[in-house]
Amino acid sequence: MSRAFRIHAPGGPEALIWEEVSVPEPADGQVRLRHTAVGLNYIDVYHRTGLYPLPSLPAVPGMEGAGVVEAVGRGVSEFGPGDRVAYAGVLGAYAETRVIAADRLVALPPAITDPQAAAMMLKGMTAQYLLRRTYPVQAGDRVMVHAAAGGVGLILCQWARHLGATVIGTVGTDAKADLARAHGCHHPIVYTRERFVDRVRAITGGDGVAVVYDSVGKDTFLDSLDCLRPLGMMVTFGNASGPVPPVEPALLSAKGSLFLTRPTLMTYTAKPADLQASARELFDVVAGGHVRIRIGARYPLSETPQAHRDLESRATTGSTVLLP
Ligand code: NDP
């Protein structure tokens, strides 16, 4: 037996129920993992509220964790008991112990601590595919990052700057503007106070940016299109303010023959080789000191509902880690 949060029906933070669950022996190709740290992500909120329906109920939510291998099933040769590993994008992380497919795991280098891994695997590999594959950022590009002081946001800002881009970010408060600036954002804009389209036009001399990475969704989508240069790339990859309503393709031509994509990490890391390559690039920029992983808050795993409240009320910055 092990303790875990389960969702029996969608709802508020109280829909997370802390209870005893049985953990099966690892089947063929699986590993049993004892979590040492679990990552909190906005997708956990979408799963809890039902915006992204869970495949079945009850379900253990949570998509990111780090820990120690306890046992392996038949056919697993890459990992053995005692190995330090981490993963992102596999439901079931809000648990002390779990089983998971071995080909979804990444071996942790000694330089990366377990809390750091839980703070960066999902958010960092997201930054990796957004900056290197969805729109490959080139030196000299101007890029825009919404929610720049958030978990994904702080990593995007630092990594984009490391690639030679000029980074324009949006944040909810002045304190978050300072934090974003300290993590690579050249031009933080407090979008709760200023019209970010006007600021972006002024900062870029009217040209617009090459790409907008927009995780805020409903509240920022349309104005984000107006921040782009002709042929710019609109990347809508999250819904912190609510989902984006349907879009007429003709809008993209009217605004300058824009490109629009709605990507997800799960597609970009579906192949084990892509998963390992993405993790390697992430470990390299962190080990090289180009991207610092900020853990803004730690909670005991059993206090995860409070962590959800803080994330949804925009009170967190950087990554949040849950400790079993
Ligand atoms: P964050 O730490 O970025 O938290 C969300 C932030 O969004 C808040 O801190 C807040 O920052 C901003 N925000 C703006 N409007 C609202 C609102 N109405 N309610 C709540 N927050 C709001 O979370 P994560 O780093 O975990 O995730 C960032 C985003 O990226 C999420 O939308 C997530 O779903 C998405 N994502 C998508 C992935 C993909 O592959 N498609 C993978 C990983 C994450 P501020 O106060 O500064 O506005």
Side-chain angles (χ1 to χ4, degrees), residues 25-311:
E25 285 303 310
D28 293 2
Q30 287 186 332
V31 156
R32 191 173 74 233
L33 181 62
R34 181 173 53 78
H35 282 135
T36 49
V38 171
L40 177 73
N41 290 285
Y42 223 93
I43 192 170
D44 307 347
V45 173
Y46 309 145
H47 282 146
R48 197 205 69 217
T49 60
L51 177 66
Y52 295 178
L54 290 161
S56 63
L57 293 173
V60 178
M63 298 284 272
E64 177 178 41
V68 180
V69 174
E70 283 190 337
V72 302
R74 274 202 324 209
V76 175
S77 53
E78 347 45 313
F79 301 107
D83 285 352
R84 295 177 59 239
V85 295
Y87 64 90
V90 189
L91 203 63
Y94 286 7
E96 292 169 334
T97 305
R98 71 170 299 167
V99 292
I100 186 169
D103 68 3
R104 294 286 92 200
L105 294 176
V106 173
L108 278 183
I112 308 281
T113 68
D114 292 16
Q116 238 182 345
M120 75 182 204
M121 293 303 295
L122 197 149
K123 300 166 192 76
M125 291 197 295
T126 297
Q128 190 276 337
Y129 85 74
L130 290 173
L131 298 168
R132 306 271 294 132
R133 295 178 68 194
T134 305
Y135 173 84
V137 171
Q138 307 295 316
D141 278 343
R142 290 152 166 158
V143 312
M144 173 143 197
V145 175
H146 286 300
V152 177
L154 285 184
I155 299 175
L156 278 176
C157 288
Q158 296 174 82
W159 202 331
R161 187 182 186 126
H162 172 58
L163 293 170
T166 298
V167 184
I168 304 174
T170 58
V171 291
T173 65
D174 289 306
K176 288 184 179 184
D178 292 341
L179 191 66
R181 199 178 285 108
H183 289 79
C185 181
H186 296 88
H187 302 283
I189 302 170
V190 182
Y191 57 178
T192 44
R193 187 172 67 218
E194 301 172 277
R195 262 180 59 82
F196 66 83
V197 181
D198 299 341
R199 284 293 314 282
V200 170
R201 289 280 151 201
I203 291 164
T204 61
D207 291 343
V209 298
V211 58
V212 177
Y213 296 110
D214 186 341
S215 67
V216 172
K218 181 167 69 69
D219 287 356
T220 47
F221 180 82
L222 284 178
D223 283 345
S224 292
L225 298 181
D226 288 326
C227 295
L228 284 162
R229 71 178 184 200
L231 275 61
M233 171 72 88
M234 175 66 192
V235 185
T236 172
F237 73 103
N239 341 263
S241 68
V244 176
V247 182
E248 281 290 333
L251 187 64
L252 303 175
S253 73
K255 301 228 177 251
S257 303
L258 304 177
F259 294 85
L260 169 64
T261 183
R262 188 11 177 134
T264 168
L265 175 68
M266 313 330 152
T267 316
Y268 280 85
T269 54
K271 293 182 188 155
D274 287 337
L275 171 69
Q276 298 298 331
S278 184
R280 237 182 349 260
E281 267 201 40
L282 172 62
F283 293 152
D284 284 350
V285 290
V286 171
H290 308 300
V291 172
R292 283 175 289 131
I293 303 300
R294 176 184 156 85
I295 300 179
R298 297 166 197 247
Y299 300 76
L301 179 60
S302 59
E303 291 177 19
T304 299
Q306 185 56 43
H308 273 226
R309 283 182 198 102
D310 293 344
L311 182 63

